[in-house]
Amino acid sequence: MVMKKKTISAARPRRAGAATTAIPESTDSASMFDPVERAPAYTKVSSAIEHKIMSRALRGGDVLPAELELAQQFRVHRSTVREALRQLESAGLVTRPPGAKRMIVSRPEAAKVASGMRHALVLHEVSFVDVWEAMMVIEPEVAALAAMRRTQADLVTLTQTSEAFRDSPEGDPDSVNIVALFFEQLGAASRNQVLVLAKQSLAQALAPSLARMIDTVPQARARITDAQKRIINAVRDKNAEEARKWMSKHVRDFKRGYEVAGISPDTPISV
Amino acid sequence: MVMKKKTISAARPRRAGAATTAIPESTDSASMFDPVERAPAYTKVSSAIEHKIMSRALRGGDVLPAELELAQQFRVHRSTVREALRQLESAGLVTRPPGAKRMIVSRPEAAKVASGMRHALVLHEVSFVDVWEAMMVIEPEVAALAAMRRTQADLVTLTQTSEAFRDSPEGDPDSVNIVALFFEQLGAASRNQVLVLAKQSLAQALAPSLARMIDTVPQARARITDAQKRIINAVRDKNAEEARKWMSKHVRDFKRGYEVAGISPDTPISV
DNA sequence: AAAGACGGACTGTCGGACAATAGGGCAATT
DNA sequence: AATTGCCCTATTGTCCGACAGTCCGTCTTT
C-alpha cells in the first residue's frame, strides 16, 4: 500500500537540478558548461501563464481554467498550480472578484503597481528628499500637460476635490487622502498613464509623513488650498506655463512644511 | 478511519464568511452593515509576514523560519504557508538565494519593481508616445542631477558604456541593452533611488521597440553615440543646464527615429 | 587535512480528502 | 411573477500525510 508513490515518482519529471555543491560564483576557470537551469515547477507554471497573459492570448476579463484542469494540462499537482496562481495574484495579473469562484485575468491597476513601488521605497530606506525631488521633476510637468489636455469634466472634479479639502475639518485624518486625490485627478487630466503610475507611487510613499506635516504646521492647510486654487485656475485657462509654475511652488512648499514641522529631509519614508 | 478529518476540521477555524448570496454591488439602500471581512488564510498569513517586514521587525537578510515552523506558529497547514510565501516571493519581499534552503527577507530590487510596472504598461496598452512623454519629463532632469552629483567613478563607467555601444557590431541584439545601461548608470549618478526606479521601468518598456528602431534607422547608432558623448561631456563639466539640454535633444531624437522607422506613435508598447 | 559517508533539516511535489461556497435549476410558496 | 427553499455539481480553501532531492554540518576514514 505504500509503493504507490515510489514507482510513480520515479517516472515523473522531478527537478532538473544536478547541484554544484555550493555554487561558486567563479567563472574564472574556463567555463565549459552553462549553469544548469533550475526552476521549481510552480515558477514554470506561473511564467507559462504569465506569458499567455502578456502576449494577450489571455485577455483581461477572461476566466482562467479551474485549478484542477490547469493541473491536468501542466501535468502537475493542484497544489503546484495554486502556488503559481498565488504568484500571479500578487503580481496583479489575475484576480478574483470578491465572492467569485474562478480567477479572472486582470490588468494590474495603478494602485497595485504603486504599492509595489512603495514597498521598495520604504525598504530601501529612501529618504524624504529623494521622493520630493522626484515630485519636483514630475508634478510640474504633469500639471502643464493637464493644462493642455484637460476637459471640462476634469475641471469639475478637480474643483470638487479642492473644495472638499478646504472644507475638511481641522484634524481630519482623511485630509491627506484628499490631497492625494487632487494629485491623482490632475494626473488623470494629463492623459498619460505612465506618469499617473509614477505619481501614484510617490503620493503613496509620501502620504504618512505628509499627514503628520499637515497636522503639525498650522498654515499648511491654507497654503495647500491656495496652491490648489491657483493650479486649477491655470488649468482652467489652459495655461501650461502657469500651471507648471504654481505646481512647482506647491511642491516646493511641501518641503518648507517639512522643515517647519521639524522633520529632517533625510528621514526615511515609512509605513 | 475516515472520521479523522470531520472532527478536527469542525474545531479548526474555517473561513469567516457568511456569504450574502451573489453580493450585489449596490450600496444604494441604506447600508447598515459593513461587508463581512472575508480573506483566505493564505492572504492573512502573507500580510502578517508582510507587515513584519514593512515594519522592519524582519530586516533584509534575515532568514525566515522554516515553512513547517511558520505553519505551526500560524496554526495552518504547510501548504497554506507556502501559498503565502509565493505571494511574498513574487512581490520581491522574500527571496531564496540560488541553491539555498531557507527563504531570506529581501528588499525588492529595482528590476523587480520595474518589471511589475512593465506588466502594467503593456497590459494597459500604453502607447509609445506616453512612455516617450514620461521620458521627456524625467530624463533631462535626471541628467541635470547627475551632472551636479556625479563622481569620478560615474564618469568612468558612463564613458565605458558609451564606448561599448559605439563599438558594438551593427546588428548586435545587445545594443539596446547597452543603451539602457547608459540610462541606468546616469540614473545611478543622479543619486536618487526614486528616479532610478521610475526610469528603469520606462527603459524596460521601451526596449523591444527601441531595438527595432535602431536596427531600422541607419543613422540611429551614430546619433545615439553623438548624444551620449555630449551628455557625458556636460556631466563631466558638471554643467547641469547643458546636460539637461542634450538629454532633451537625445530623447526627442528617439521619437524622430520612430517616425523615420515608420512606427506609429500610438503603437502600444509590447513584450 | 582531504575525501567520503551519514544523518538531520528543509524544500518541492504529489496523492488524496473533506468542508464550504457559487451558480444553476426546479419545485413549493406567497 | 417574485421570493424562497432545496438539491446538485463544479470548484476553491484547507488539511493530512508522504517521499525524493538537496543542503549542511558532523563524524569517519584514509
Side-chain angles (χ1 to χ4, degrees), chain B residues 5-269:
Chain B
K5 190 61 182 319
K6 271 276 174 52
T7 49
I8 299 178
S9 93
R12 216 186 307 133
R14 285 243 154 213
R15 281 198 177 211
T20 61
T21 330
I23 303 179
E25 304 243 349
S26 54
T27 321
D28 28 19
S29 59
S31 62
M32 221 187 317
F33 295 107
D34 294 340
V36 61
E37 161 264 325
R38 169 150 50 148
Y42 63 77
T43 303
K44 292 190 187 159
V45 170
S46 88
S47 34
I49 300 178
E50 175 187 325
H51 251 85
K52 274 270 186 296
I53 296 178
M54 292 302 286
S55 66
R56 300 217 190 56
L58 284 170
R59 319 187 107 265
D62 290 0
V63 295
L64 229 48
E67 295 172 357
L68 194 58
E69 192 179 324
L70 286 173
Q72 284 160 352
Q73 287 191 28
F74 285 111
R75 303 282 184 75
V76 297
H77 194 258
R78 187 161 78 98
S79 316
T80 306
V81 169
R82 289 190 116 250
E83 291 184 31
L85 289 180
R86 293 299 87 83
Q87 294 210 183
L88 299 175
E89 187 180 21
S90 85
L93 293 182
V94 304
T95 293
R96 188 190 325 289
K101 210 104 250 228
R102 310 278 280 272
M103 285 274 195
I104 65 168
V105 176
S106 72
R107 312 184 287 189
E109 294 306 321
K112 184 99 211 164
V113 180
S115 104
M117 189 141 168
R118 180 171 50 84
H119 283 169
L121 297 184
V122 170
L123 292 176
H124 280 272
E125 314 212 3
V126 164
S127 67
F128 160 70
V129 254
D130 283 343
V131 180
W132 175 79
E133 214 168 75
M135 284 185 76
M136 278 301 288
V137 171
I138 296 179
E139 297 295 353
E141 292 308 314
V142 169
L145 286 174
M148 297 189 291
R149 300 177 184 169
R150 60 90 179 157
T151 64
Q152 195 55 40
D154 292 327
L155 224 45
V156 174
T157 51
L158 279 172
T159 309
Q160 285 173 348
T161 305
S162 181
E163 282 167 4
F165 176 75
R166 168 166 45 79
D167 301 340
S168 72
E170 192 66 19
D172 188 355
D174 218 39
S175 302
V176 205
N177 298 333
I178 305 183
V179 173
L181 186 59
F182 182 83
F183 279 101
E184 191 181 328
Q185 289 170 343
L186 201 62
S190 80
R191 300 284 177 275
N192 186 317
Q193 284 279 328
V194 183
L195 290 172
V196 168
L197 230 50
K199 277 166 52 69
Q200 194 139 334
S201 310
L202 302 185
Q204 274 198 21
L206 216 57
S209 53
L210 185 58
R212 250 181 308 146
M213 191 274 269
I214 293 183
D215 285 346
T216 315
V217 182
Q219 63 274 42
R221 302 183 78 89
R223 296 191 71 106
I224 292 177
T225 305
D226 183 54
Q228 288 183 345
K229 201 174 300 174
R230 292 184 191 268
I231 292 169
I232 290 181
N233 286 343
V235 169
R236 166 171 38 79
D237 302 342
K238 303 210 171 195
N239 187 336
E241 200 43 61
E242 195 74 1
R244 186 179 355 243
K245 191 182 90 187
W246 280 107
M247 178 55 91
S248 202
K249 278 186 203 280
H250 183 31
V251 175
R252 220 183 299 274
D253 229 30
F254 277 161
K255 192 168 172 203
R256 194 119 25 96
Y258 272 67
E259 284 160 5
V260 173
I263 304 174
S264 154
D266 298 323
T267 320
I269 56 177

Side-chain angles (χ1 to χ4, degrees), chain A residues 38-228:
Chain A
R38 168 152 47 153
Y42 62 77
T43 302
K44 291 189 189 161
V45 170
S46 89
S47 33
I49 300 178
E50 175 187 325
H51 249 86
K52 275 271 186 294
I53 296 178
M54 292 301 286
S55 66
R56 299 214 189 58
L58 285 170
R59 317 185 110 265
D62 290 0
V63 294
L64 230 48
E67 293 173 356
L68 195 58
E69 191 179 325
L70 286 173
Q72 284 160 351
Q73 286 190 28
F74 284 111
R75 303 282 183 72
V76 296
H77 193 257
R78 187 161 77 99
S79 318
T80 307
V81 169
R82 292 192 115 243
E83 291 183 31
L85 289 181
R86 293 299 89 80
Q87 297 214 174
L88 298 174
E89 188 180 21
S90 86
L93 293 182
V94 304
T95 293
R96 188 190 327 286
K101 207 112 248 222
R102 310 279 282 273
M103 287 273 195
I104 64 168
V105 177
S106 73
R107 314 184 284 189
E109 294 306 319
K112 182 97 209 169
V113 180
S115 104
M117 189 142 168
R118 180 170 51 84
H119 282 171
L121 298 183
V122 170
L123 292 176
H124 279 274
E125 314 211 1
V126 165
S127 67
F128 160 70
V129 254
D130 283 342
V131 180
W132 176 80
E133 215 169 75
M135 285 184 76
M136 278 302 287
V137 171
I138 295 179
E139 298 295 354
E141 292 308 314
V142 169
L145 286 174
M148 297 189 292
R149 301 179 183 167
R150 59 87 178 162
T151 63
Q152 195 56 39
D154 292 327
L155 223 46
V156 173
T157 50
L158 279 171
T159 308
Q160 284 172 348
T161 306
S162 181
E163 282 167 3
F165 176 75
R166 167 166 46 80
D167 301 340
S168 73
E170 192 67 20
D172 188 355
D174 218 39
S175 301
V176 205
N177 298 333
I178 305 183
V179 174
L181 186 59
F182 183 82
F183 278 101
E184 192 181 327
Q185 289 170 344
L186 202 62
S190 81
R191 300 283 177 277
N192 186 316
Q193 284 280 328
V194 183
L195 291 172
V196 168
L197 230 52
K199 277 167 53 68
Q200 194 138 335
S201 310
L202 303 185
Q204 273 198 21
L206 217 56
S209 53
L210 186 57
R212 250 181 308 146
M213 191 274 268
I214 293 182
D215 286 344
T216 315
V217 182
Q219 63 275 43
R221 301 184 77 89
R223 296 192 71 106
I224 291 177
T225 305
D226 183 54
Q228 288 183 346

